[in-house]
Amino acid sequence: MSDRVKTITMDIVEAVRDVMRKHDVTFAEYRAGVGHLIKTQEAKEIPLLLDVFLNSTVVEIENRQRDGSKAAIQGPYFREGAPRVNDSLAIRPEDEDQPRMVMRGRVTDLGGSPVADAVIDVWHSTPEGRYSGVHGNIPIEYYRGKITTDENGRYECRSILPVPYQIPNQGPTGELLEKHMGGHSWRPAHIHYWVHAEGMRDLISQAYFEGDKYIEDDSCNGGGTEFMVPEAYEDGVRVMEVDFRLDPAAVRA
Ligand code: DHB
Ligand code: FE
């Protein structure tokens, strides 16, 4: 038996009971809630439902224990085994005319010293707001890659621009967000990062594009302007300059 599982489970049940008492929940309302969860399970949307409401809270708790760059939500679309890339992610032939970006920045330790040979997994959406290896049959090598930092801790890699993304909204989770809660299911355009370096604590982050209206109205509470990159261009290419300050890995006793 795990004391922690027992304690947390009891606290969840007590918190839900308190909400039910506060609102005098009726038996019909209780049945409707159970019915909604059954629909969510049948649509295989339990991970989506939990991520929409609770992923950001786990990130918030993790960030209390980090001194360097703050972490952001991972989202469901990271895939292992992305190719190592040099100066550009693979771009689909049909996207050749899309607007471009360059991702660049520095990885350092807490003292500001460069971290060489850090590996940054990056992944982002297509211009239709879909992810390779996940949606339709977009081959997984597109818009994903592992970038390595040089001896000064610098990285640089080009790609096309991602776009605002609408989480699946045709099922029960979309119905809950849009119809019952009067909200929406959009996320700002974003780049995902997962930074790994020897002796350092992993960092999962995101970057948003200044001017995107969903940054502060994000259906997944993705951290807002803290992760926004100011608008800047070089020869018409959007520059996404993002530095990462890594905490040391926890030393195990
Ligand atoms: C979802 C998709 C994302 O790309 C993301 O970053 C977060 C959440 C989603 O579909 O739930
Ligand atoms: Fe995403």
Side-chain angles (χ1 to χ4, degrees):
M1 188 189 80
S2 153
D3 282 348
R4 190 165 161 83
V5 170
K6 179 176 172 186
T7 305
I8 291 175
T9 304
M10 288 307 297
D11 279 358
I12 290 172
V13 172
E14 253 333 298
V16 173
R17 284 177 177 151
D18 280 346
V19 171
M20 293 170 74
R21 291 182 191 115
K22 177 174 161 195
H23 296 285
D24 294 323
V25 168
T26 65
F27 195 69
E29 287 167 339
Y30 167 70
R31 298 279 0 140
V34 171
H36 187 84
L37 287 181
I38 292 169
K39 277 203 295 181
T40 304
Q41 190 239 329
E42 284 169 356
K44 299 195 168 57
E45 286 193 357
I46 287 177
L48 177 65
L49 180 74
L50 294 176
D51 274 7
V52 164
F53 289 109
L54 302 176
N55 191 338
S56 60
T57 307
V58 186
V59 171
E60 171 195 316
I61 294 162
E62 172 175 338
N63 279 337
R64 287 196 218 139
Q65 308 149 0
R66 293 192 86 107
D67 291 322
S69 299
K70 296 301 179 203
I73 58 173
Q74 181 182 342
Y77 301 140
F78 171 74
R79 292 293 178 270
E80 298 285 350
R84 284 198 175 260
V85 291
N86 289 315
D87 50 346
S88 182
L89 299 187
I91 291 169
R92 288 187 302 182
E94 65 262 47
D95 296 336
E96 276 301 325
D97 294 337
Q98 292 291 328
R100 303 285 166 138
M101 66 173 172
V102 55
M103 300 170 274
R104 69 158 75 115
R106 245 179 124 219
V107 180
T108 64
D109 63 16
L110 291 180
S113 299
V115 176
D117 296 323
V119 175
I120 309 173
D121 255 292
V122 298
W123 68 105
H124 68 74
S125 79
T126 67
E128 304 84 47
R130 304 194 301 163
Y131 282 84
S132 70
V134 176
H135 301 116
N137 33 35
I138 307 163
I140 195 160
E141 67 262 26
Y142 293 113
Y143 312 127
R144 296 175 185 275
K146 292 180 192 295
I147 315 171
T148 309
T149 58
D150 68 13
E151 66 275 17
N152 299 313
R154 292 189 189 282
Y155 71 92
E156 177 159 327
C157 185
R158 290 169 180 265
S159 191
I160 56 163
L161 290 177
V163 294
Y165 169 83
Q166 195 166 25
I167 67 170
N169 72 334
Q170 297 306 309
T173 307
E175 182 186 316
L176 182 65
L177 285 177
E178 294 177 0
K179 186 169 147 218
H180 299 301
M181 297 176 70
H184 64 74
S185 50
W186 288 91
R187 299 213 59 222
H190 57 278
I191 307 166
H192 293 275
Y193 306 85
W194 191 338
V195 189
H196 317 259
E198 193 152 340
M200 299 291 167
R201 184 165 174 181
D202 270 22
L203 177 69
I204 294 173
S205 189
Q206 289 197 356
Y208 305 131
F209 298 75
E210 183 181 10
D212 190 319
K213 68 175 176 177
Y214 295 117
I215 292 173
E216 287 177 281
D217 183 20
D218 179 346
S219 62
C220 290
N221 292 310
T225 51
E226 174 158 10
F227 298 101
M228 182 178 85
V229 179
E231 194 162 358
Y233 295 88
E234 253 174 39
D235 302 326
V237 174
R238 183 79 156 88
V239 179
M240 291 299 281
E241 179 131 12
V242 179
D243 296 337
F244 301 106
R245 264 176 77 225
L246 299 184
D247 293 81
V251 181
R252 281 180 206 275

